[in-house]
Amino acid sequence: ATGTEVTFTGVIVAKMASNQGNQIFVHDGSAGIYVFTASDLTVGTEVQVSGTADIYYEIFQVKNAGITVVSENATLPEAQKTTLGAHMALGKDSGKIGGELINVDVLLEIVTEQYTNVYITDPKTGDKARIYYKTEYTYIPGYNNEADYIAALQPYNGKTINITLVQYDIKDGEGHRLMLTSYPITEVQAQELTDDEKAQFILNGVSLEDSYLKTFTLPTADGLTWAVKEGTGIEIVDGQAVVTRAEADQTVVLTATATVNEAVATKDF
């Protein structure tokens, strides 16, 4: 419970970059948690943590933490082998966000738009998350700021990899943000998807805003079609959702249909 004084022993599995405060994630072998403390300790250090349980911006954490080193170069705890899609299905209502140590096979993409971001995608479901830019990349010595961690991941750009990550948070508008760890990254063979999985993959990559005030362009993909399922105020014309506004707000349900050979999947928005 928040406000409770806690003491536990665990291993540092991830930390913020040195230019972002050096806060750490500590895992005791069964669960992990964000520890709010400016620490110059390295990943792999076993520590005793004493502080106050708290929730800050929906992240479970220990604040006002005192840190005592138990041992250096400790054995890193075993990560939970899962899929990114299964992990993301936990959502904000799971009762525990922040500190989960997961091992997943994902497609890694480095995208440069206004900023450079690193995305990971479940190769079977299409669920996508982001590697948090404040992360420290300690697997390669010296990589401890934003530019360096992107450079360190560049060799894996566009490839399917096995990677161990720590859940940071779920941010509105951005989704799941995860931290890099010092566990090795390895390239793996991408598995062939079934037609049903391919159709679902297409749908999982589609998103719409909750509301629109004017005509907008619908997402496109091979085999993807759109239809109005319920309501009035939107007409689909040549890939555009043509909005006709009324005095009162209108609720419209759009259905996206993905077709791959004989496989068909639908999703309502």
Side-chain angles (χ1 to χ4, degrees):
T2 59
T4 302
E5 296 301 312
V6 297
T7 298
F8 65 96
T9 299
V11 178
I12 300 174
V13 293
K15 64 183 296 186
M16 296 290 197
S18 59
N19 61 348
Q20 298 294 339
N22 279 328
Q23 285 83 20
I24 57 178
F25 282 90
V26 178
H27 202 285
D28 68 358
S30 61
I33 195 167
Y34 179 66
V35 179
F36 188 77
T37 181
S39 171
D40 59 358
L41 298 175
T42 60
V43 169
T45 303
E46 184 180 16
V47 294
Q48 183 183 75
V49 178
S50 296
T52 305
D54 193 23
I55 298 177
Y56 185 72
Y57 281 98
E58 300 182 335
I59 303 173
F60 288 84
Q61 66 169 282
V62 177
K63 67 178 183 179
N64 302 325
I67 305 292
T68 302
V69 174
V70 176
S71 65
E72 297 179 352
N73 300 318
T75 300
L76 293 170
E78 184 177 355
Q80 176 193 7
K81 181 62 179 178
T82 185
T83 65
L84 184 62
H87 174 69
M88 291 177 64
L90 291 174
K92 285 188 176 182
D93 298 329
S94 65
K96 178 71 174 72
I97 288 296
E100 296 90 344
L101 183 66
I102 62 170
N103 178 265
V104 291
D105 291 344
V106 292
L107 172 67
L108 186 140
E109 298 174 280
I110 299 174
V111 179
T112 301
E113 299 166 325
Q114 181 178 3
Y115 302 100
T116 299
N117 289 306
V118 180
Y119 296 98
I120 52 174
T121 302
D122 188 313
K124 282 206 165 187
T125 67
D127 290 294
K128 180 177 287 190
R130 186 161 69 93
I131 293 179
Y132 194 27
Y133 76 92
K134 291 185 179 181
T135 193
E136 179 180 5
Y137 189 71
T138 55
Y139 180 53
I140 299 178
Y143 288 89
N144 63 358
N145 61 52
E146 182 177 359
D148 282 346
Y149 97 80
I150 291 173
L153 292 175
Q154 191 65 51
Y156 305 105
N157 188 24
K159 298 179 180 179
T160 301
I161 59 172
N162 177 263
I163 189 170
T164 298
L165 301 159
V166 169
Q167 176 70 50
Y168 179 68
D169 69 354
I170 303 176
K171 185 175 181 180
D172 292 339
E174 295 187 28
H176 284 66
R177 302 190 296 182
L178 297 109
M179 304 282 292
L180 291 167
T181 68
S182 61
Y183 293 71
I185 298 173
T186 56
E187 188 175 348
V188 297
Q189 184 68 38
Q191 296 182 356
E192 180 64 27
L193 302 182
T194 66
D195 286 348
D196 285 328
E197 290 171 335
K198 290 177 182 177
Q200 192 60 53
F201 186 96
I202 293 170
L203 289 183
N204 287 345
V206 174
S207 63
L208 293 178
E209 301 291 336
D210 291 333
S211 63
Y212 290 91
L213 298 177
K214 59 183 180 180
T215 296
F216 59 95
T217 301
L218 292 163
T220 60
D222 289 341
L224 180 66
T225 59
W226 290 90
V228 177
K229 181 178 181 179
E230 297 176 7
T232 59
I234 288 182
E235 182 182 3
I236 297 176
V237 180
D238 296 331
Q240 298 281 311
V242 180
V243 176
T244 302
R245 296 191 63 188
E247 290 186 7
D249 290 342
Q250 302 173 83
T251 299
V252 180
V253 178
L254 301 182
T255 298
T257 300
T259 304
V260 179
N261 297 322
E262 299 299 318
V264 178
T266 61
K267 184 177 181 180
D268 290 342
F269 296 86

